[in-house]
mmCIF file of all heavy atoms in Angstrom:
data_model
loop_
_atom_site.group_PDB
_atom_site.id
_atom_site.type_symbol
_atom_site.label_atom_id
_atom_site.label_comp_id
_atom_site.label_asym_id
_atom_site.label_seq_id
_atom_site.Cartn_x
_atom_site.Cartn_y
_atom_site.Cartn_z
ATOM 1 N N PHE Y 1 0.780 -1.134 0.023
ATOM 2 C CA PHE Y 1 0.027 0.016 0.006
ATOM 3 C C PHE Y 1 0.919 1.227 0.009
ATOM 4 O O PHE Y 1 1.545 1.482 0.983
ATOM 5 C CB PHE Y 1 -0.937 0.068 1.285
ATOM 6 C CG PHE Y 1 -1.795 -1.329 1.254
ATOM 7 C CD1 PHE Y 1 -1.240 -2.357 1.941
ATOM 8 C CD2 PHE Y 1 -3.067 -1.185 0.739
ATOM 9 C CE1 PHE Y 1 -2.008 -3.550 2.031
ATOM 10 C CE2 PHE Y 1 -3.891 -2.432 0.843
ATOM 11 C CZ PHE Y 1 -3.250 -3.517 1.426
ATOM 12 N N VAL Y 2 0.920 1.970 -1.055
ATOM 13 C CA VAL Y 2 1.919 2.933 -1.388
ATOM 14 C C VAL Y 2 1.380 4.291 -1.486
ATOM 15 O O VAL Y 2 0.578 4.634 -2.420
ATOM 16 C CB VAL Y 2 2.697 2.633 -2.648
ATOM 17 C CG1 VAL Y 2 3.965 3.584 -2.854
ATOM 18 C CG2 VAL Y 2 3.261 1.279 -2.593
ATOM 19 N N PRO Y 3 1.434 5.274 -0.507
ATOM 20 C CA PRO Y 3 0.909 6.547 -0.685
ATOM 21 C C PRO Y 3 1.779 7.425 -1.729
ATOM 22 O O PRO Y 3 3.059 7.248 -1.771
ATOM 23 C CB PRO Y 3 1.054 7.215 0.719
ATOM 24 C CG PRO Y 3 2.234 6.519 1.390
ATOM 25 C CD PRO Y 3 2.134 5.079 0.684
ATOM 26 N N ARG Y 4 1.080 8.207 -2.529
ATOM 27 C CA ARG Y 4 1.770 8.882 -3.583
ATOM 28 C C ARG Y 4 1.247 10.407 -3.518
ATOM 29 O O ARG Y 4 0.064 10.727 -3.283
ATOM 30 C CB ARG Y 4 1.431 8.287 -5.009
ATOM 31 C CG ARG Y 4 1.712 6.887 -5.261
ATOM 32 C CD ARG Y 4 3.244 6.650 -5.564
ATOM 33 N NE ARG Y 4 3.542 5.330 -5.864
ATOM 34 C CZ ARG Y 4 4.743 4.879 -6.109
ATOM 35 N NH1 ARG Y 4 5.789 5.709 -6.026
ATOM 36 N NH2 ARG Y 4 4.901 3.661 -6.393
ATOM 37 N N LYS Y 5 2.272 11.276 -3.723
ATOM 38 C CA LYS Y 5 1.906 12.753 -3.873
ATOM 39 C C LYS Y 5 2.193 13.246 -5.260
ATOM 40 O O LYS Y 5 3.253 12.968 -5.899
ATOM 41 C CB LYS Y 5 2.755 13.460 -2.900
ATOM 42 C CG LYS Y 5 2.493 14.961 -2.721
ATOM 43 C CD LYS Y 5 3.405 15.625 -1.831
ATOM 44 C CE LYS Y 5 3.093 17.085 -1.689
ATOM 45 N NZ LYS Y 5 4.059 17.683 -0.757
ATOM 46 N N SER Y 6 1.193 13.857 -5.853
ATOM 47 C CA SER Y 6 1.374 14.503 -7.215
ATOM 48 C C SER Y 6 2.166 15.692 -7.156
ATOM 49 O O SER Y 6 2.384 16.292 -6.269
ATOM 50 C CB SER Y 6 0.007 14.538 -7.847
ATOM 51 O OG SER Y 6 -0.624 15.801 -7.307
ATOM 52 N N PRO Y 7 2.571 16.097 -8.401
ATOM 53 C CA PRO Y 7 3.298 17.385 -8.534
ATOM 54 C C PRO Y 7 2.438 18.458 -7.999
ATOM 55 O O PRO Y 7 2.947 19.530 -7.519
ATOM 56 C CB PRO Y 7 3.682 17.467 -10.011
ATOM 57 C CG PRO Y 7 3.704 16.010 -10.425
ATOM 58 C CD PRO Y 7 2.779 15.293 -9.652
ATOM 59 N N ALA Y 8 1.177 18.398 -8.111
ATOM 60 C CA ALA Y 8 0.234 19.458 -7.612
ATOM 61 C C ALA Y 8 0.036 19.340 -6.196
ATOM 62 O O ALA Y 8 -0.751 20.219 -5.614
ATOM 63 C CB ALA Y 8 -1.101 19.360 -8.252
ATOM 64 N N GLY Y 9 0.568 18.388 -5.470
ATOM 65 C CA GLY Y 9 0.462 18.206 -4.028
ATOM 66 C C GLY Y 9 -0.790 17.434 -3.579
ATOM 67 O O GLY Y 9 -1.085 17.338 -2.377
ATOM 68 N N LEU Y 10 -1.358 16.688 -4.503
ATOM 69 C CA LEU Y 10 -2.557 15.777 -4.161
ATOM 70 C C LEU Y 10 -2.089 14.366 -3.870
ATOM 71 O O LEU Y 10 -1.256 13.818 -4.575
ATOM 72 C CB LEU Y 10 -3.600 15.742 -5.289
ATOM 73 C CG LEU Y 10 -4.065 17.060 -5.826
ATOM 74 C CD1 LEU Y 10 -4.963 16.997 -6.970
ATOM 75 C CD2 LEU Y 10 -4.798 17.830 -4.554
ATOM 76 N N TRP Y 11 -2.620 13.892 -2.758
ATOM 77 C CA TRP Y 11 -2.208 12.468 -2.280
ATOM 78 C C TRP Y 11 -3.322 11.507 -2.705
ATOM 79 O O TRP Y 11 -4.423 11.669 -2.762
ATOM 80 C CB TRP Y 11 -2.170 12.586 -0.795
ATOM 81 C CG TRP Y 11 -1.021 13.301 -0.229
ATOM 82 C CD1 TRP Y 11 -0.832 14.605 0.086
ATOM 83 C CD2 TRP Y 11 0.303 12.652 0.127
ATOM 84 N NE1 TRP Y 11 0.394 14.848 0.573
ATOM 85 C CE2 TRP Y 11 1.107 13.689 0.528
ATOM 86 C CE3 TRP Y 11 0.806 11.373 0.116
ATOM 87 C CZ2 TRP Y 11 2.381 13.543 1.012
ATOM 88 C CZ3 TRP Y 11 2.156 11.175 0.488
ATOM 89 C CH2 TRP Y 11 2.962 12.214 0.927
ATOM 90 N N THR Y 12 -2.660 10.257 -3.200
ATOM 91 C CA THR Y 12 -3.381 9.054 -3.394
ATOM 92 C C THR Y 12 -2.712 8.029 -2.613
ATOM 93 O O THR Y 12 -1.741 8.054 -2.154
ATOM 94 C CB THR Y 12 -3.512 8.655 -4.851
ATOM 95 O OG1 THR Y 12 -2.071 8.552 -5.250
ATOM 96 C CG2 THR Y 12 -4.107 9.736 -5.668
ATOM 97 N N SER Y 13 -3.663 6.875 -2.341
ATOM 98 C CA SER Y 13 -3.220 5.745 -1.504
ATOM 99 C C SER Y 13 -4.101 4.566 -1.907
ATOM 100 O O SER Y 13 -4.957 4.659 -2.728
ATOM 101 C CB SER Y 13 -3.165 6.089 -0.040
ATOM 102 O OG SER Y 13 -2.402 5.197 0.628
ATOM 103 N N GLY Y 14 -3.695 3.440 -1.068
ATOM 104 C CA GLY Y 14 -4.621 2.227 -1.369
ATOM 105 C C GLY Y 14 -5.219 1.736 -0.041
ATOM 106 O O GLY Y 14 -4.781 1.821 0.992
ATOM 107 N N ARG Y 15 -6.370 1.040 -0.405
ATOM 108 C CA ARG Y 15 -7.193 0.425 0.777
ATOM 109 C C ARG Y 15 -7.857 -0.808 0.085
ATOM 110 O O ARG Y 15 -8.519 -0.764 -1.026
ATOM 111 C CB ARG Y 15 -8.165 1.461 1.259
ATOM 112 C CG ARG Y 15 -9.185 0.822 2.204
ATOM 113 C CD ARG Y 15 -9.959 1.894 2.937
ATOM 114 N NE ARG Y 15 -11.306 1.466 3.521
ATOM 115 C CZ ARG Y 15 -11.783 1.919 4.404
ATOM 116 N NH1 ARG Y 15 -11.315 3.219 5.032
ATOM 117 N NH2 ARG Y 15 -13.053 1.554 4.952
ATOM 118 N N ILE Y 16 -7.770 -1.984 0.714
ATOM 119 C CA ILE Y 16 -8.657 -3.061 0.294
ATOM 120 C C ILE Y 16 -9.403 -3.565 1.611
ATOM 121 O O ILE Y 16 -9.051 -3.405 2.745
ATOM 122 C CB ILE Y 16 -7.769 -4.258 -0.153
ATOM 123 C CG1 ILE Y 16 -6.712 -4.740 0.856
ATOM 124 C CG2 ILE Y 16 -6.994 -3.888 -1.369
ATOM 125 C CD1 ILE Y 16 -5.999 -5.986 0.471
ATOM 126 N N GLU Y 17 -10.643 -4.143 1.218
ATOM 127 C CA GLU Y 17 -11.436 -4.718 2.159
ATOM 128 C C GLU Y 17 -11.950 -6.152 1.800
ATOM 129 O O GLU Y 17 -12.194 -6.283 0.622
ATOM 130 C CB GLU Y 17 -12.750 -3.917 2.379
ATOM 131 C CG GLU Y 17 -12.404 -2.405 2.657
ATOM 132 C CD GLU Y 17 -13.691 -1.554 2.791
ATOM 133 O OE1 GLU Y 17 -14.858 -2.082 2.548
ATOM 134 O OE2 GLU Y 17 -13.579 -0.452 3.151
ATOM 135 N N SER Y 18 -11.873 -7.032 2.649
ATOM 136 C CA SER Y 18 -12.246 -8.419 2.282
ATOM 137 C C SER Y 18 -13.743 -8.530 1.803
ATOM 138 O O SER Y 18 -14.589 -7.786 2.463
ATOM 139 C CB SER Y 18 -12.031 -9.350 3.463
ATOM 140 O OG SER Y 18 -12.936 -9.017 4.579
ATOM 141 N N LYS Y 19 -13.902 -9.258 0.829
ATOM 142 C CA LYS Y 19 -15.411 -9.489 0.424
ATOM 143 C C LYS Y 19 -16.133 -10.334 1.409
ATOM 144 O O LYS Y 19 -17.284 -10.066 1.759
ATOM 145 C CB LYS Y 19 -15.560 -9.987 -0.881
ATOM 146 C CG LYS Y 19 -14.970 -9.174 -2.070
ATOM 147 C CD LYS Y 19 -15.261 -9.599 -3.419
ATOM 148 C CE LYS Y 19 -14.942 -8.487 -4.386
ATOM 149 N NZ LYS Y 19 -15.386 -8.891 -5.787
ATOM 150 N N GLY Y 20 -15.424 -11.256 2.037
ATOM 151 C CA GLY Y 20 -16.035 -12.126 3.009
ATOM 152 C C GLY Y 20 -16.057 -11.551 4.484
ATOM 153 O O GLY Y 20 -15.380 -10.425 4.713
ATOM 154 N N SER Y 21 -16.930 -12.079 5.320
ATOM 155 C CA SER Y 21 -16.912 -11.678 6.691
ATOM 156 C C SER Y 21 -16.991 -12.876 7.556
ATOM 157 O O SER Y 21 -17.460 -14.036 7.101
ATOM 158 C CB SER Y 21 -18.119 -10.747 6.958
ATOM 159 O OG SER Y 21 -19.217 -11.351 6.844
ATOM 160 N N TRP Y 22 -16.463 -12.849 8.839
ATOM 161 C CA TRP Y 22 -16.441 -14.052 9.664
ATOM 162 C C TRP Y 22 -16.926 -13.672 11.060
ATOM 163 O O TRP Y 22 -16.662 -12.613 11.761
ATOM 164 C CB TRP Y 22 -14.912 -14.494 9.809
ATOM 165 C CG TRP Y 22 -14.354 -14.888 8.458
ATOM 166 C CD1 TRP Y 22 -14.468 -16.112 7.863
ATOM 167 C CD2 TRP Y 22 -13.830 -14.107 7.440
ATOM 168 N NE1 TRP Y 22 -13.832 -16.117 6.686
ATOM 169 C CE2 TRP Y 22 -13.511 -14.854 6.313
ATOM 170 C CE3 TRP Y 22 -13.649 -12.636 7.433
ATOM 171 C CZ2 TRP Y 22 -12.916 -14.325 5.146
ATOM 172 C CZ3 TRP Y 22 -12.983 -12.199 6.221
ATOM 173 C CH2 TRP Y 22 -12.661 -12.968 5.022
ATOM 174 N N THR Y 23 -17.713 -14.630 11.629
ATOM 175 C CA THR Y 23 -18.348 -14.416 12.872
ATOM 176 C C THR Y 23 -17.613 -15.235 13.915
ATOM 177 O O THR Y 23 -17.422 -16.481 13.763
ATOM 178 C CB THR Y 23 -19.800 -14.847 12.883
ATOM 179 O OG1 THR Y 23 -20.608 -14.169 11.902
ATOM 180 C CG2 THR Y 23 -20.459 -14.512 14.271
ATOM 181 N N PRO Y 24 -17.094 -14.597 15.053
ATOM 182 C CA PRO Y 24 -16.486 -15.250 16.112
ATOM 183 C C PRO Y 24 -17.580 -16.340 16.645
ATOM 184 O O PRO Y 24 -18.658 -15.890 17.051
ATOM 185 C CB PRO Y 24 -16.154 -14.277 17.167
ATOM 186 C CG PRO Y 24 -16.002 -13.070 16.404
ATOM 187 C CD PRO Y 24 -17.003 -13.164 15.248
ATOM 188 N N ALA Y 25 -17.135 -17.601 16.606
ATOM 189 C CA ALA Y 25 -18.117 -18.658 17.058
ATOM 190 C C ALA Y 25 -18.229 -18.868 18.593
ATOM 191 O O ALA Y 25 -17.255 -18.633 19.273
ATOM 192 C CB ALA Y 25 -17.611 -19.985 16.470
ATOM 193 N N PRO Y 26 -19.535 -18.976 19.078
ATOM 194 C CA PRO Y 26 -19.790 -19.198 20.414
ATOM 195 C C PRO Y 26 -18.908 -20.450 20.900
ATOM 196 O O PRO Y 26 -18.805 -21.558 20.209
ATOM 197 C CB PRO Y 26 -21.209 -19.422 20.532
ATOM 198 C CG PRO Y 26 -21.639 -19.765 19.155
ATOM 199 C CD PRO Y 26 -20.743 -19.255 18.333
ATOM 200 N N GLY Y 27 -18.284 -20.297 22.088
ATOM 201 C CA GLY Y 27 -17.511 -21.437 22.699
ATOM 202 C C GLY Y 27 -16.229 -21.562 22.168
ATOM 203 O O GLY Y 27 -15.501 -22.489 22.571
ATOM 204 N N LYS Y 28 -15.829 -20.648 21.289
ATOM 205 C CA LYS Y 28 -14.546 -20.892 20.631
ATOM 206 C C LYS Y 28 -13.645 -19.526 20.720
ATOM 207 O O LYS Y 28 -14.036 -18.574 21.194
ATOM 208 C CB LYS Y 28 -14.690 -21.186 19.094
ATOM 209 C CG LYS Y 28 -15.245 -22.554 18.839
ATOM 210 C CD LYS Y 28 -15.328 -23.014 17.512
ATOM 211 C CE LYS Y 28 -15.903 -24.370 17.304
ATOM 212 N NZ LYS Y 28 -15.722 -24.943 15.903
ATOM 213 N N VAL Y 29 -12.495 -19.736 20.362
ATOM 214 C CA VAL Y 29 -11.414 -18.564 20.260
ATOM 215 C C VAL Y 29 -11.213 -18.317 18.789
ATOM 216 O O VAL Y 29 -10.918 -19.197 17.995
ATOM 217 C CB VAL Y 29 -10.197 -18.865 20.948
ATOM 218 C CG1 VAL Y 29 -9.180 -17.794 20.848
ATOM 219 C CG2 VAL Y 29 -10.398 -19.231 22.501
ATOM 220 N N THR Y 30 -11.375 -17.083 18.355
ATOM 221 C CA THR Y 30 -11.117 -16.540 17.036
ATOM 222 C C THR Y 30 -9.910 -15.587 17.097
ATOM 223 O O THR Y 30 -9.898 -14.780 17.910
ATOM 224 C CB THR Y 30 -12.415 -15.777 16.469
ATOM 225 O OG1 THR Y 30 -13.410 -16.710 16.379
ATOM 226 C CG2 THR Y 30 -11.924 -15.349 15.074
ATOM 227 N N LYS Y 31 -8.997 -15.804 16.120
ATOM 228 C CA LYS Y 31 -7.819 -14.923 16.021
ATOM 229 C C LYS Y 31 -7.785 -14.348 14.614
ATOM 230 O O LYS Y 31 -7.977 -15.068 13.603
ATOM 231 C CB LYS Y 31 -6.474 -15.731 16.232
ATOM 232 C CG LYS Y 31 -6.260 -15.989 17.728
ATOM 233 C CD LYS Y 31 -4.981 -16.824 17.778
ATOM 234 C CE LYS Y 31 -4.629 -17.205 19.331
ATOM 235 N NZ LYS Y 31 -4.342 -16.060 20.158
ATOM 236 N N ILE Y 32 -7.462 -12.931 14.438
ATOM 237 C CA ILE Y 32 -7.303 -12.369 13.204
ATOM 238 C C ILE Y 32 -5.926 -11.800 13.233
ATOM 239 O O ILE Y 32 -5.559 -10.993 14.081
ATOM 240 C CB ILE Y 32 -8.307 -11.203 12.932
ATOM 241 C CG1 ILE Y 32 -9.707 -11.682 13.233
ATOM 242 C CG2 ILE Y 32 -8.144 -10.502 11.555
ATOM 243 C CD1 ILE Y 32 -10.957 -10.733 13.131
ATOM 244 N N GLN Y 33 -5.010 -12.201 12.240
ATOM 245 C CA GLN Y 33 -3.668 -11.825 12.209
ATOM 246 C C GLN Y 33 -3.078 -11.473 10.942
ATOM 247 O O GLN Y 33 -3.714 -11.754 9.819
ATOM 248 C CB GLN Y 33 -2.750 -12.977 12.756
ATOM 249 C CG GLN Y 33 -3.056 -13.342 14.192
ATOM 250 C CD GLN Y 33 -2.039 -14.401 14.789
ATOM 251 O OE1 GLN Y 33 -1.320 -15.032 13.994
ATOM 252 N NE2 GLN Y 33 -2.064 -14.581 16.008
ATOM 253 N N ALA Y 34 -2.109 -10.566 10.850
ATOM 254 C CA ALA Y 34 -1.377 -10.338 9.613
ATOM 255 C C ALA Y 34 -0.029 -9.923 9.917
ATOM 256 O O ALA Y 34 0.361 -9.537 11.035
ATOM 257 C CB ALA Y 34 -2.052 -9.068 8.972
ATOM 258 N N ASN Y 35 0.871 -10.258 8.944
ATOM 259 C CA ASN Y 35 2.402 -9.974 9.056
ATOM 260 C C ASN Y 35 2.601 -8.840 8.278
ATOM 261 O O ASN Y 35 2.515 -8.795 7.084
ATOM 262 C CB ASN Y 35 3.076 -11.178 8.521
ATOM 263 C CG ASN Y 35 4.511 -11.283 9.214
ATOM 264 O OD1 ASN Y 35 4.519 -11.003 10.388
ATOM 265 N ND2 ASN Y 35 5.466 -11.899 8.519
ATOM 266 N N ILE Y 36 3.126 -7.793 8.947
ATOM 267 C CA ILE Y 36 3.204 -6.372 8.347
ATOM 268 C C ILE Y 36 4.482 -5.765 8.513
ATOM 269 O O ILE Y 36 5.215 -5.954 9.587
ATOM 270 C CB ILE Y 36 2.126 -5.486 9.068
ATOM 271 C CG1 ILE Y 36 0.732 -5.977 8.943
ATOM 272 C CG2 ILE Y 36 2.323 -4.049 8.623
ATOM 273 C CD1 ILE Y 36 -0.365 -5.345 9.703
ATOM 274 N N LEU Y 37 5.130 -5.062 7.452
ATOM 275 C CA LEU Y 37 6.198 -4.390 7.436
ATOM 276 C C LEU Y 37 5.813 -2.898 7.144
ATOM 277 O O LEU Y 37 4.986 -2.697 6.099
ATOM 278 C CB LEU Y 37 7.239 -5.010 6.537
ATOM 279 C CG LEU Y 37 8.546 -4.090 6.127
ATOM 280 C CD1 LEU Y 37 9.798 -5.055 5.896
ATOM 281 C CD2 LEU Y 37 8.443 -3.174 5.027
ATOM 282 N N LEU Y 38 6.537 -1.972 7.719
ATOM 283 C CA LEU Y 38 6.234 -0.540 7.491
ATOM 284 C C LEU Y 38 7.504 0.039 6.690
ATOM 285 O O LEU Y 38 8.654 -0.334 7.115
ATOM 286 C CB LEU Y 38 5.852 0.240 8.647
ATOM 287 C CG LEU Y 38 4.652 -0.185 9.388
ATOM 288 C CD1 LEU Y 38 4.363 0.479 10.609
ATOM 289 C CD2 LEU Y 38 3.417 0.013 8.402
#
């Protein structure tokens, strides 16, 4: 995800959203994780 600045000073960037969704199940443990570098 790379932010960009135009010569005119306008910023653009990136965003994604999962199409699916997930419900934490009763009686269970749910983990949501990602491996990230900045």
Side-chain angles (χ1 to χ4, degrees):
F1 302 86
V2 188
R4 303 279 186 183
K5 184 180 179 181
S6 74
L10 301 178
W11 286 87
T12 57
S13 193
R15 169 170 165 156
I16 61 174
E17 301 181 354
S18 66
K19 292 193 170 187
S21 60
W22 297 268
T23 303
K28 297 188 176 184
V29 175
T30 299
K31 291 180 178 285
I32 307 173
Q33 297 187 346
N35 206 33
I36 296 172
L37 175 146
L38 299 174

